[in-house]
Amino acid sequence: MAPSSYQAPKRGDKAGKTTYSQSVESNLSHTQSTVEKLLEGKGDAVFAVRPNDTIADVVGILKEKRIGAVVVTDQNGVLQGILSERDIVRRMAETPGQTLPQSVEDLMTSDVQTCAPDYLLMDILKTMTEGRFRHMPVLKDGNLCGMITIGDVVNFRLQELEYEALKLKQMIVG
């Protein structure tokens, strides 16, 4: 039996008082994250080498900086290619003991997939996954302004999910 002060809701009680706790925009906010937002937290450091540098030079940079790829630029800083650990390992398998003295331009990938700061991270993740590569230079007005990795994108998304989960918990708890 309901308390005497209780009145069952009647039709029309909440007429005109529609609330929206969720929207497509709020539920899909992660799809709106851009490369620029990721770079704000990561920074814009890019390690570059020249086409005539040796693989030994590149290996030293990769080890010292603890990175997986370098971009290849000309003397004006214009992107010429990219060279990754994977490229070096493949060449080592093809030319054992003869890889380190070879030049960067002999191993680099010249047809580089790039992105711009306004690209959506979900699109970048799809492109990297389908292309089976892990590093992507970021160009703004034709100039190199950063480098992102598939790990950067995944970690950024995980942080967003953790934040969203925290906000939901706060909303539920009050």
Side-chain angles (χ1 to χ4, degrees), residues 49-51 55 58 68-73 78-88 90-91 103-114 131-137 147:
V49 296
R50 302 279 183 260
I55 299 305
V58 173
V70 293
V71 293
V72 183
T73 60
V78 176
L79 183 66
Q80 301 294 306
I82 190 167
L83 184 64
S84 71
E85 293 170 319
R86 192 181 288 176
D87 297 326
I88 296 168
R90 283 185 184 136
R91 182 57 65 99
S103 70
V104 167
E105 68 185 336
D106 293 336
L107 271 79
M108 72 181 191
T109 301
S110 300
D111 185 22
V112 184
Q113 287 269 352
T114 63
R132 299 180 56 84
F133 58 90
R134 299 175 291 187
H135 302 85
M136 185 180 280
M147 170 89 96

Side-chain angles (χ1 to χ4, degrees), residues 42 45 47 57-70 85 135 147 149 152:
K42 179 185 179 190
F47 299 98
D57 297 332
V58 173
V59 169
I61 292 169
L62 295 175
K63 179 182 179 231
E64 177 187 333
K65 303 297 182 186
R66 299 182 59 164
I67 55 176
V70 293
E85 293 170 319
H135 302 85
M147 170 89 96
T149 68
D152 295 334

Side-chain angles (χ1 to χ4, degrees), residues 6 9 26 58 73 89 99 106 114 118 136 141 144 166:
Y6 173 78
S26 68
V58 173
T73 60
V89 169
T99 306
D106 293 336
T114 63
D118 61 345
M136 185 180 280
D141 301 323
L144 199 56
L166 176 64

